Amino acid sequence: MRKITLIGLAVMLAGIFVANTTVMAQPTAVIKVVAMSPQDLTDLGLATPPSSGLTVAGKGEVMYLVGANADTEAVTSYLWSVESAPPGSVKDVDSTDTKATTFVPDTTGQFVVKLEITTASGVDDTTLTITSALYVGVSGLPPSCQFCHSTNVAEWEGTDHSTMFTRAIDGLVSDHYGESCLECHTVGYDTLAANGGFSDRQQQLGWTFPDT
């Protein structure tokens, strides 16, 4: 991720933090995990994968992080770092001195990302714990979503999301449903990440999107 791209992202996301007062105070560092849809990324001119905005992500998935001061005083510098990581990880944030950065966990486990901000009034820092994991599927023997989250799975099964892919492949959703729709209508679709998501299962099974 290049700094010029991150600057554009920071400008677009600046409205997340709204000023309520003009009184200067000791800064309070804030880290926001930002959800990015395919349309958001297109609007920003980015070619990177979408993100849910959750602090739990699939291994190898991009996470978009924005730093700020909870007060209104302008931030003069940002310093990002990975304070702790699972054994074997060699990953750092993709930019260490910008308002917005990205982070891609390179293994499973918990990462602690640290942000330090500087303003005219002082310095403050905060941390964010990110959990990286593999996709395990909805049902079946543990580990599976249903094994630990049966109530949530039951609620999800009552929505159209749970059958969206099946209905679409059967031609019941739209006559122009195409392969590009998969990244929104399946779980874990990211061809750049190996984490057991839909794109990985598609490759393992040798399944190709049908012409009709």
Side-chain angles (χ1 to χ4, degrees):
M1 179 67 69
R2 298 291 182 262
K3 287 186 179 181
I4 188 170
T5 300
L6 294 169
I7 291 171
L9 177 61
V11 170
M12 176 67 75
L13 298 172
I16 292 173
F17 303 97
V18 180
N20 296 314
T21 176
T22 58
V23 178
M24 292 186 180
Q26 184 70 19
T28 301
V30 177
I31 299 174
K32 174 73 174 181
V33 185
V34 181
M36 298 292 282
S37 70
Q39 187 60 56
D40 292 330
L41 294 164
T42 298
D43 293 343
L44 289 168
L46 302 179
T48 48
S51 178
S52 68
L54 302 176
T55 57
V56 178
K59 170 179 168 280
E61 292 181 349
V62 179
M63 302 185 71
Y64 300 88
L65 310 177
V66 176
N69 178 16
D71 190 37
T72 60
E73 188 177 17
V75 177
T76 57
S77 69
Y78 299 86
L79 180 60
W80 296 90
S81 61
V82 176
E83 190 170 64
S84 65
S89 172
V90 295
K91 192 68 178 69
D92 200 353
V93 291
D94 294 310
S95 180
T96 60
D97 59 356
T98 52
K99 177 182 177 68
T101 189
T102 52
F103 177 70
V104 181
D106 59 350
T107 187
T108 57
Q110 288 195 321
F111 296 79
V112 177
V113 173
K114 180 180 179 180
L115 170 65
E116 180 181 284
I117 63 170
T118 302
T119 69
S121 298
V123 177
D124 189 48
D125 62 70
T126 189
T127 60
L128 175 73
T129 299
I130 293 171
T131 302
S132 170
L134 302 177
Y135 292 96
V136 295
V138 174
S139 59
L141 296 174
S144 70
C145 297
Q146 195 168 34
F147 183 75
C148 292
H149 306 286
S150 58
T151 299
N152 303 87
V153 169
E155 292 173 349
W156 170 76
E157 288 176 336
T159 71
D160 286 342
H161 292 289
S162 66
T163 59
M164 177 65 186
F165 172 73
T166 303
R167 289 183 290 111
I169 290 296
D170 285 344
L172 303 177
V173 172
S174 168
D175 60 3
H176 58 271
Y177 190 88
E179 189 161 13
S180 62
C181 301
L182 295 179
E183 66 179 351
C184 287
H185 298 153
T186 61
V187 176
Y189 189 93
D190 186 342
T191 58
L192 301 179
N195 51 30
F198 184 91
S199 55
D200 294 326
R201 294 292 292 152
Q202 179 179 350
Q203 184 178 28
Q204 290 165 7
L205 295 172
W207 180 79
T208 57
F209 199 90
D211 293 331
T212 303

